[in-house]
Amino acid sequence: MPRNSRGREIYPISYRELYVQNVEDISPCMRRITLSGEQLQEHKHDGISVPALLSNGFDDDVRLIFPDPETGERPHPIAQKDGNLLWPEAVKNLFRTYTVRHFDAANQRLAIDFARHGEGLAENWSQNARIGDAIFVAGPKSCAQLPTHTDWLFLAGDETALPAIGRCVESLPCGHPAIAVIEVPTSADIQSLDISDSVQVHWAVRERGEDFVEKTRALFEATSPSLLPDGEGYVWAAGEASRLKPLRRLFKASGITPEHQEITGYWRRTNPKHGKGNASSSSNSVLHNIHDLAELNSAFALRTAVRLGLFQEIDAGANTVPALAVAAELHEEALGRFVRYLAALQLVEISGDALTLTAMGMELADPDSNAVRWLSGPAHLEAMALMRLEHSLRTGESAPQGEKGLPWSEYVSRDPQLVAERFEQKNVSAGWTAPSAAKALQQYLDETARVLIIGQGGAVYADEILRRWEHAQSRIISDASSEAVLQEIAVTSRARCETNGEGSGFYPTEVDYVWATDVVFIDPWGVFGSEEVAHQLNRAISKDTFRRVYIFTEVIDTVGGDEHSYEEDMVRLSMFGTKIPTQEDINAAVADNGAFIASTTAVGWGKRLFVLEAEAKS
């Protein structure tokens, strides 16, 4: 799956306390609350430096952490020195994600638009907000560039997408063609937007029976070519998740390339019978519930249901046990018993003979959901790795994995699709570090750099480097095919990028090292054992030529660290025989090769950049 073509900057995840400066009703369905405060600027909190808030992207989002509606308490996340936040349990159900409608850095004002739905945590707070009220705000953690790199832009969504669409069309350079389709509840909710003549806005009013999906379809399927501009387009759509499915098919059929498509479910309609379920229900709380279920007994049931595609089949119309058994090719009586269990877990609802999906079930019916990806494919195998941890604790080596008890190498050789899914998974993860990594390298690389990149997600790092240095070249050492690797590279940069062939692994040749002026290792302890890491560093660190070597990696604390990092370290041990390195591991590998760490920089969220140089000859 190609990377999205919008460039993106990644920032440390910070939280700050802000105060309500102004409350304004923009329309009957939209209330704008402007926040301000000294913590919008660079400051220190509990000994940790907090950078000034940045928001340059039209769809930047922040997490608003509301007071507990019952107790009035105001818990908040805990800042970490590595650019990350810890989210205590007391906070997890008190935040909601909102788009930044406007940010005025000069006057230190941050505006958030709240679409009204009638009830809910955010709705109640916004309706009762008064000047001076305090609220914790986390983010933005990233900003994506304005999509003006194609010939024209198309945006569509319901009122929850209106803040992002409004900010986008008001930010476009004069003359850039754009079309926006925005759905609002009533005619009174149509907003006046400050746009140029090159932007067309089509309003879909629900009280008149209009629909943003149908209006979009009419524009794309009309026989008249004048309805859409000529050239290459970029499409962006957001809103209620289930309504976006037809747009995915529509944009695909229109010929718009995947890297120029961005479709995001901002919220999901839920069943009112489930207590808090209405349009204002948080998709975050849905995801947290899914993660809570993914433990031991419920984990097996949840992962099995996802891998069998049961939620997708119910969503597609197989809404009785017999129909579902036929669609999924399962034993009917056994499935009926399993469905009862899924209903007890509040993943499905049984009414007579009919099956319907709950909010969590609807999330799991979306094949593009991050939750589905996390519960299936290679992520599923990694999550199950600790079941065979005893073998690794006895031997210090990787253990047979999965239901079949096979080494990972066996899974790889038997299932090319699994390899492709893991490649995509690692690229998605790399997308949240690579922009910061490339930015951190700016002081070291020059325009003629030849950068050898070794490790998982290497294509994403290469893409970010080649975007920033117009004449640099890259060679990627990967276990994926050349075709898959190059698909992650922007078309304009591919001529400056090479790969090591058809999935031949992470082992460079001497020719590769001789070719390079700079060598980048991405999480080397994640793909190599400690001895092999030392061996590859020895090959890379040149005693005779000036060549810098860089390591991007997480560093695990020996005590008192994050439990998720320790869990990932155990997964690596059990599944691959690898690790997350400690600082001592890194120091030892570098010193053993006659080199030293010239600098260390925090990068992205929880990663570090180590710049290595060879010791001078005596």
Side-chain angles (χ1 to χ4, degrees):
M1 186 179 187
R3 290 189 69 210
N4 185 271
S5 58
R6 289 173 71 190
R8 183 178 295 274
E9 296 292 342
I10 304 296
Y11 302 117
I13 309 176
S14 306
Y15 85 93
R16 57 200 85 223
E17 187 173 35
L18 303 179
Y19 301 89
V20 176
Q21 184 188 65
N22 189 50
V23 178
E24 178 185 6
D25 288 327
I26 303 299
S27 74
C29 86
M30 194 75 71
R31 168 165 285 193
R32 179 169 300 165
I33 296 182
T34 302
L35 305 172
S36 63
E38 292 182 355
Q39 291 189 6
L40 284 170
Q41 304 173 38
E42 184 178 358
H43 64 282
K44 278 200 169 185
H45 183 74
D46 292 338
I48 296 176
S49 295
V50 180
L53 186 141
L54 290 170
S55 177
N56 303 316
F58 76 88
D59 50 357
D60 293 349
D61 61 60
V62 293
R63 288 183 173 184
L64 304 180
I65 305 156
F66 299 102
D68 188 303
E70 295 181 1
T71 67
E73 294 179 355
R74 300 180 59 237
H76 56 72
I78 301 169
Q80 305 291 290
K81 292 182 179 180
D82 62 5
N84 229 327
L85 294 178
L86 291 181
W87 292 82
E89 285 300 319
V91 183
K92 288 183 178 179
N93 288 323
L94 293 176
F95 75 82
R96 301 291 185 264
T97 302
Y98 275 83
T99 301
V100 176
R101 178 60 175 87
H102 180 70
F103 178 56
D104 182 348
N107 295 302
Q108 297 294 287
R109 294 175 181 172
L110 180 79
I112 306 290
D113 284 2
F114 292 79
R116 296 181 175 179
H117 292 294
E119 62 180 71
L121 179 67
E123 173 86 357
N124 293 337
W125 182 86
S126 65
Q127 289 307 301
N128 295 298
R130 298 292 181 267
I131 305 299
D133 285 356
I135 188 169
F136 292 114
V137 179
K141 62 184 181 181
S142 68
C143 298
Q145 71 178 32
L146 197 64
T148 53
H149 55 293
T150 57
D151 298 310
W152 54 276
L153 172 64
F154 184 89
L155 306 110
D158 59 19
E159 62 267 33
T160 63
L162 175 51
I165 296 175
R167 185 176 182 185
C168 180
V169 295
E170 291 180 344
S171 303
L172 289 172
C174 186
H176 188 82
I179 300 173
V181 177
I182 309 169
E183 181 180 315
V184 291
T186 72
S187 299
D189 295 306
I190 294 175
Q191 295 185 15
S192 177
L193 301 174
D194 183 14
I195 57 178
S196 69
D197 293 339
S198 59
V199 178
Q200 304 173 37
V201 177
H202 301 267
W203 296 93
V205 180
R206 273 201 302 277
E207 69 175 2
R208 299 201 297 245
E210 296 172 345
D211 177 300
F212 81 93
V213 175
E214 290 307 313
K215 274 191 177 279
T216 298
R217 194 194 310 275
L219 288 170
F220 273 79
E221 293 183 347
T223 55
S224 172
S226 62
L227 293 179
L228 294 175
D230 294 328
E232 191 170 37
Y234 187 99
V235 295
W236 183 98
E240 201 279 322
S242 64
R243 297 179 64 198
L244 297 173
K245 293 179 182 179
L247 294 186
R248 297 182 193 277
R249 295 190 293 269
L250 178 67
F251 295 149
K252 181 179 180 180
S254 71
I256 294 174
T257 55
E259 60 265 35
H260 297 332
Q261 298 183 35
E262 202 168 352
I263 305 171
T264 308
Y266 271 7
W267 62 285
R268 189 178 292 282
R269 191 176 306 281
T270 60
N271 190 333
K273 291 179 68 176
H274 289 272
K276 301 176 184 178
N278 59 23
S280 63
S281 292
S282 167
S283 59
N284 291 304
S285 63
V286 168
L287 292 173
H288 284 307
N289 288 339
I290 292 171
H291 281 261
D292 288 343
L293 285 177
E295 297 184 13
L296 298 178
N297 294 339
S298 58
F300 288 108
L302 178 57
R303 293 176 189 278
T304 298
V306 168
R307 296 174 71 203
L308 291 173
L310 298 188
F311 303 107
Q312 293 180 42
E313 295 292 357
I314 294 172
D315 188 43
N319 59 356
T320 66
V321 170
L324 185 59
V326 171
E329 300 181 349
L330 299 173
H331 185 278
E332 184 177 325
E333 190 268 342
L335 176 62
R337 294 162 59 188
F338 185 50
V339 166
R340 291 198 308 251
Y341 184 28
L342 297 180
L345 297 176
Q346 296 186 0
L347 295 166
V348 302
E349 183 177 287
I350 304 173
S351 179
D353 293 331
L355 305 177
T356 56
L357 297 174
T358 63
M360 290 189 289
M362 286 296 295
E363 181 70 34
L364 296 169
D366 182 357
D368 295 313
S369 166
N370 288 330
V372 172
R373 295 181 182 184
W374 175 66
L375 292 166
S376 59
H380 165 71
L381 287 175
E382 291 183 27
M384 295 291 102
L386 296 187
M387 291 180 61
R388 299 177 184 266
L389 178 60
E390 181 179 344
H391 174 96
S392 297
L393 293 176
R394 292 186 183 280
T395 65
E397 300 175 349
S398 61
Q401 297 297 322
E403 295 89 341
K404 299 176 182 178
L406 299 174
W408 174 252
S409 58
E410 285 282 336
Y411 276 104
V412 169
S413 64
R414 295 184 181 198
D415 190 351
Q417 180 61 29
L418 189 65
V419 178
E421 289 176 1
R422 181 172 170 80
F423 177 71
E424 181 178 345
Q425 172 194 326
K426 293 301 179 182
N427 286 338
V428 170
S429 298
W432 295 110
T433 303
S436 293
K439 188 174 183 179
L441 289 173
Q442 284 182 324
Q443 60 181 304
Y444 303 110
L445 302 184
D446 59 39
E447 278 293 336
T448 60
R450 298 188 302 275
V451 188
L452 182 66
I453 301 178
I454 306 160
Q456 293 170 333
V460 179
Y461 282 76
D463 182 59
E464 290 292 338
I465 289 171
L466 296 176
R467 289 182 192 221
R468 284 172 166 79
W469 287 271
E470 293 183 358
H471 303 291
Q473 299 175 59
S474 177
R475 185 174 292 181
I476 303 166
I477 308 300
S478 171
D479 62 349
S481 68
S482 295
E483 180 183 4
V485 170
L486 292 176
Q487 193 176 36
E488 300 297 321
I489 308 296
V491 174
T492 54
S493 303
R494 287 180 189 171
R496 296 182 284 125
C497 185
E498 303 174 6
T499 73
N500 62 326
E502 299 307 308
S504 52
F506 297 103
Y507 298 90
T509 66
E510 286 303 321
V511 173
D512 294 323
Y513 280 123
V514 169
W515 171 86
T517 60
D518 299 82
V519 180
V520 175
F521 287 97
I522 303 166
D523 187 20
W525 279 268
V527 293
F528 301 129
S530 294
E531 291 185 3
E532 185 62 30
V533 171
H535 175 62
Q536 293 300 332
L537 288 179
N538 180 265
R539 298 174 70 201
I541 297 170
S542 172
K543 310 299 190 299
D544 302 312
T545 1
F546 181 77
R547 179 197 299 143
R548 277 201 178 94
V549 177
Y550 315 88
I551 298 175
F552 287 101
T553 184
E554 180 181 354
V555 181
I556 200 168
D557 296 317
T558 53
V559 293
D562 177 50
E563 68 171 282
H564 298 294
S565 294
Y566 294 139
E567 179 182 315
E568 169 64 17
D569 187 46
M570 289 293 93
V571 169
R572 291 186 179 195
L573 168 62
S574 181
M575 195 162 187
F576 310 111
T578 60
K579 64 166 63 174
I580 300 175
T582 63
Q583 185 64 55
E584 289 73 17
D585 290 326
I586 298 170
N587 292 344
V590 173
D592 285 349
N593 287 290
F596 67 97
I597 299 173
S599 67
T600 305
T601 307
V603 172
W605 312 324
K607 302 294 191 298
R608 296 184 203 174
L609 162 65
F610 295 90
V611 180
L612 312 185
E613 292 185 8
E615 294 281 6
K617 289 184 177 180
S618 57

